[in-house]
Amino acid sequence: MAGKRNPSTFLIRQKSFLKLSILTYIEKKRYYAYELIEKFKEDYSEFGYKPVSTEIYKALNELVEQGILRRQKRKQSETDQYKEVVVYSFQDWEAAQSYKKQLKEVLINSEKMIKRALKINFK
């Protein structure tokens, strides 16, 4: 049966999770990639989740390609005019909010599935 393949509804894919978190982080501050990597470590390492930097870069690149984020070069510090970093900011705020809304529904469904699995398997 040919047709459009539905995305997996079994929990949330890592890349989607990374994109969601990146958008939330960037709502609060303009980050460059290394800072985002450190932010993930800070927020999720206690759960044993430490995404590799290449996955974070892939998620950032996809968000740029989708037109949701933009890259901007800036000096890393005022004292060193030759060191530049790439910071990320919103290019399409509405698209970012729409993406977050979709992922919220997936997270809520995932939470329900996990609760049910715990209830069924660990009475």
Side-chain angles (χ1 to χ4, degrees):
M1 187 174 186
K4 185 178 177 186
R5 186 172 169 224
N6 291 330
S8 173
T9 56
F10 186 75
L11 305 179
I12 186 171
R13 296 182 183 277
Q14 175 177 267
K15 193 173 292 181
S16 297
F17 176 76
L18 291 173
K19 288 179 176 180
L20 173 66
S21 298
I22 286 167
L23 293 175
T24 300
Y25 292 150
I26 291 175
E27 283 178 358
K28 297 173 181 150
K29 177 186 169 192
R30 288 184 181 189
Y31 283 97
Y32 56 94
Y34 179 77
E35 289 175 317
L36 288 167
I37 293 166
E38 292 302 308
K39 188 76 174 132
F40 275 102
K41 286 179 187 175
E42 177 185 321
D43 289 348
Y44 297 106
S45 64
E46 72 179 276
F47 305 108
Y49 180 66
K50 299 172 189 168
V52 294
S53 59
T54 55
E55 290 302 317
I56 294 172
Y57 282 108
K58 285 180 187 178
L60 283 165
N61 288 335
E62 284 185 17
L63 289 167
V64 170
E65 289 169 6
Q66 292 169 331
I68 296 173
L69 294 181
R70 76 169 63 95
R71 289 182 183 99
Q72 298 168 307
K73 288 185 180 182
R74 72 168 196 198
K75 293 179 186 175
Q76 187 170 3
S77 69
E78 296 298 318
T79 59
D80 192 345
Q81 66 184 29
Y82 299 109
K83 285 189 180 180
E84 289 185 331
V85 293
V86 176
V87 293
Y88 294 86
S89 60
F90 288 103
Q91 180 169 315
D92 187 339
W93 176 257
E94 289 78 23
Q97 296 310 303
S98 175
Y99 185 80
K100 286 183 68 172
K101 183 178 178 184
Q102 290 173 344
L103 267 287
K104 181 178 180 181
E105 293 172 18
V106 173
L107 281 172
I108 289 169
N109 190 53
S110 297
E111 179 184 35
K112 289 176 185 176
M113 287 179 63
I114 290 169
K115 285 181 178 179
R116 180 161 300 160
L118 287 169
K119 183 178 178 183
I120 290 170
N121 294 294
F122 302 101
K123 293 182 180 182

